[in-house]
Amino acid sequence: MSDVPAEYVRQTGRPLPINAAVLNRLFAAIVDGQALPNRGQQATDLGLTAHALTDSHVDPNLYHYYTWVLTHAFAGRPINEVTAKLIGMAFTSANVFQTDLPQPLTINPWQEEAMATFPLAHMRVVVLENNGVFALLHQMHPQWPLILQSGNDFNSTYVALIQQLASRGLHYAYLGDIDSKGIQMADHFCGLLDQPDTDIMALQPLADVNYWLGAYGQQDVKRTKRRQVQDPVLQAQMDAVVVTQRFVEQEQLVEEYELRIGRWLQG
């Protein structure tokens, strides 16, 4: 770690923070693989304020140095620390796991490892991008196995559980807004998995997308602007949105969803 401060100055062009040395003890503990408390506690143990390592506004220069070192000097190295981050780190599902707890069930980072072997209630589940549609369908069909994508929130707990469940044989069908961003989010989801894209998009095939755009489509230049996607099935859906300059929101398709989700879950 002795050359890290010099590398920071050389690569960033910024002066070393005057209190940079206060972090040396923390960096040495990371190198040794020591078990660390949450970052607020780490900061106070070093004599800093509790948010110094989590809020860029508290001590901007030190925060920039700290995050640069973690990103560059410790790239790929796991940091053994207790997480205190729960906001934006949840996995929300209904009827996926075998439990008599009230549904939906929200899993946080501390529960992630235990859920990797927790018994499953179903082997098919529908993933819904939209919070409101997830809540409404769960209310109307409280026994359906559903997972909430929650927009673009691909947090680490969500991603880890999605991949763990897939490795256990769970099959996903994804439903999202039929606009540029929604299709891009579906593409990101598909990229997390080895499951064939035709299975994941079984409830939202191109023929139906084309019909929905014609029957229910609304016009908006911003929401139909082309975005990059990798999946061939979703590339075709992106083309349809861009060419027609129309989009369809999930809320418009709830009745359609009810019919097809029920059939798909029965396999």
Side-chain angles (χ1 to χ4, degrees):
M1 291 293 298
S2 59
D3 59 342
V4 168
E7 277 300 299
Y8 171 79
V9 173
R10 186 182 69 82
Q11 292 190 30
T12 67
R14 299 168 64 123
L16 198 67
I18 58 174
N19 54 346
V22 76
L23 297 178
N24 289 346
R25 179 158 57 96
L26 175 59
F27 293 150
I30 295 173
V31 170
D32 291 342
Q34 294 180 25
L36 301 171
N38 64 74
R39 293 193 181 184
Q41 189 64 51
Q42 293 172 36
T44 56
D45 288 348
L46 295 173
L48 303 169
T49 59
H51 295 287
L53 303 181
T54 57
D55 186 341
S56 62
H57 297 95
V58 174
D59 188 338
N61 292 331
L62 187 68
Y63 179 84
H64 188 276
Y65 174 61
Y66 167 73
T67 54
W68 184 92
V69 173
L70 291 190
T71 302
H72 294 80
F74 295 111
R77 181 196 296 266
I79 299 177
N80 184 14
E81 63 183 352
V82 173
T83 181
K85 185 176 182 183
L86 294 178
I87 298 173
M89 293 296 292
F91 173 93
T92 302
S93 67
N95 308 307
V96 173
F97 299 102
Q98 288 185 27
T99 175
D100 57 3
L101 287 171
Q103 302 291 318
L105 189 66
T106 300
I107 309 300
N108 66 49
W110 298 335
Q111 299 167 297
E112 175 190 316
E113 184 176 354
M115 301 310 292
T117 55
F118 205 90
L120 301 179
H122 296 274
M123 296 309 295
R124 286 189 168 210
V125 61
V126 177
V127 180
L128 295 157
E129 172 200 326
N130 184 283
N131 297 2
V133 173
F134 171 88
L136 180 59
L137 286 176
H138 175 64
Q139 182 182 48
M140 294 190 297
H141 302 278
Q143 302 307 315
W144 277 3
L146 307 172
I147 291 175
L148 174 61
Q149 165 53 42
S150 193
N152 204 31
D153 182 22
F154 289 92
N155 66 72
S156 60
T157 302
Y158 175 85
V159 171
L161 283 169
I162 285 293
Q163 293 175 333
Q164 288 173 7
L165 291 168
S167 72
R168 297 173 65 185
L170 192 69
H171 287 274
Y172 299 110
Y174 186 98
L175 288 167
D177 284 343
I178 305 171
D179 62 2
S180 300
K181 186 62 177 176
I183 293 170
Q184 189 177 54
M185 282 189 277
D187 184 66
H188 188 96
F189 182 88
C190 290
L192 300 175
L193 306 169
D194 295 326
Q195 184 178 340
D197 52 15
T198 51
D199 292 340
I200 296 174
M201 303 311 298
L203 297 178
Q204 189 174 301
L206 180 59
D208 291 340
V209 166
N210 287 331
Y211 170 75
W212 292 334
L213 288 171
Y216 311 124
Q218 305 173 65
Q219 291 191 313
D220 188 306
V221 173
K222 291 183 179 179
R223 294 188 64 171
T224 59
K225 184 178 180 180
R226 184 176 298 278
R227 293 175 179 263
Q228 292 301 312
V229 296
Q230 302 299 318
D231 184 273
V233 171
L234 291 164
Q235 284 178 352
Q237 294 191 16
M238 182 69 74
D239 289 341
V241 166
V242 172
V243 170
T244 62
Q245 293 190 319
R246 291 175 177 270
F247 72 93
V248 178
E249 296 175 308
Q250 285 198 270
E251 291 89 343
Q252 298 173 260
L253 299 173
V254 169
E255 291 185 9
E256 297 270 3
Y257 287 176
E258 279 197 275
L259 295 173
R260 61 187 59 209
I261 288 173
R263 291 195 297 261
W264 184 81
L265 288 174
Q266 292 174 6

